[in-house]
Amino acid sequence: MDIPTIKLDILVLTVHPDDAELGCSGTIMKHVAMGKKVGVVDLTQGELGTRGTVESRMAEASEASRIMGLSVRDNLKMCDGFFRNDEQHQLQVVREIRKYKPEIVISNALFDRHPDHGRSGDLINDACFLSGLRKIETALDGEAQEVHRPRLLLQSIQDYYIKPDIAIDITDFWERKLEAIKAYRSQFFHEDYSSDEPQTYISNPDFFEYVKGRAMEYGKYIGAKYAEGFTCRRLLGVDDLFHLR
Ligand SMILES: [Zn+2]
């Protein structure tokens, strides 16, 4: 029996399992609490990560998904470090966008310390546009897919400092955001994880201080304790000025 595909309100398309948790898990959980359906599709399995294995990373992603209350977590198994923004990869992403028909897509930053992030951000931007072109025909399980272009595409902000175009108050979800990040025990400092693998800058306990500092800085400017920031390539509009703070 075919399981009907769920329509998502928000689809997060980011390259490594843990990018969604670091960049936008507070926003995800805030919208899940509002009754929105949110899914994350990771482009790769993060197989080049210094610590952990593909298997441990998948188990960690599944635990983080449970904490965030995701409707869907999927993985496109592109090649970590070496995927390209080309026709083959764009069509792979177009199929996901047409499958889940999200109103809003969140991608990686367009420029970041890890070169995969910028390449992923560009790939998702291109795929969101291409997904709306009816002369690009795609099929899923032998069925032709309908065209679909998300009405809003936002980029999350991860490592490099980027001035956001919009900030979202995530104060009520801050502790759970930390929980979702800490689900990646092999990647970040965790009291219960010990291994003789090399330390990385994200496995140092100080990394959480930096994550907190960033969230507090974005929060300060919108009168919140903690916030996540996003950029958008196009001008953002609102119907009600009182929805802005
Ligand atoms: Zn990453």
Side-chain angles (χ1 to χ4, degrees), residues 110-170:
L110 298 173
F111 180 62
D112 209 358
R113 172 179 176 270
H114 197 313
D116 276 1
H117 292 176
R119 216 163 55 254
S120 162
D122 281 332
L123 168 61
I124 304 310
N125 266 267
D126 291 352
C128 282
F129 183 82
L130 296 171
S131 179
L133 298 180
R134 54 189 63 251
K135 288 193 177 167
I136 297 178
E137 293 175 5
T138 55
L140 190 71
D141 302 328
E143 294 259 330
Q145 291 184 297
E146 287 172 27
V147 298
H148 178 79
R149 185 174 293 148
R151 65 184 167 89
L152 180 64
L153 170 56
L154 297 171
Q155 287 92 43
S156 56
I157 298 171
Q158 212 166 310
D159 192 89
Y160 282 176
Y161 181 84
I162 296 172
K163 184 176 183 293
D165 296 316
I166 186 169
I168 299 179
D169 181 352
I170 58 151

Side-chain angles (χ1 to χ4, degrees), residues 3 7 14 26 29 34 36 60 68 72 89 104 116 157 160 162 186 202 217 224 243:
I3 300 161
K7 183 200 176 321
T14 38
M29 291 186 278
M34 289 175 199
K36 302 291 185 193
E60 291 164 351
M68 292 188 288
V72 172
H89 293 88
I104 298 173
D116 276 1
I157 298 171
Y160 282 176
I162 296 172
S186 65
I202 60 170
E217 190 191 16
H243 284 166

Side-chain angles (χ1 to χ4, degrees), residues 21-68:
E21 286 77 4
L22 286 166
C24 61
S25 53
T27 301
I28 289 174
M29 291 186 278
K30 185 168 191 169
H31 286 85
V32 168
M34 289 175 199
K36 302 291 185 193
K37 288 198 163 30
V38 184
V40 174
V41 175
D42 303 301
L43 302 191
T44 76
Q45 297 174 290
E47 62 270 25
L48 295 185
T50 305
R51 293 158 62 90
T53 61
V54 166
E55 291 71 30
S56 63
R57 200 79 176 260
M58 291 305 103
E60 291 164 351
S62 148
E63 169 65 4
S65 305
R66 187 192 60 73
I67 294 166
M68 292 188 288

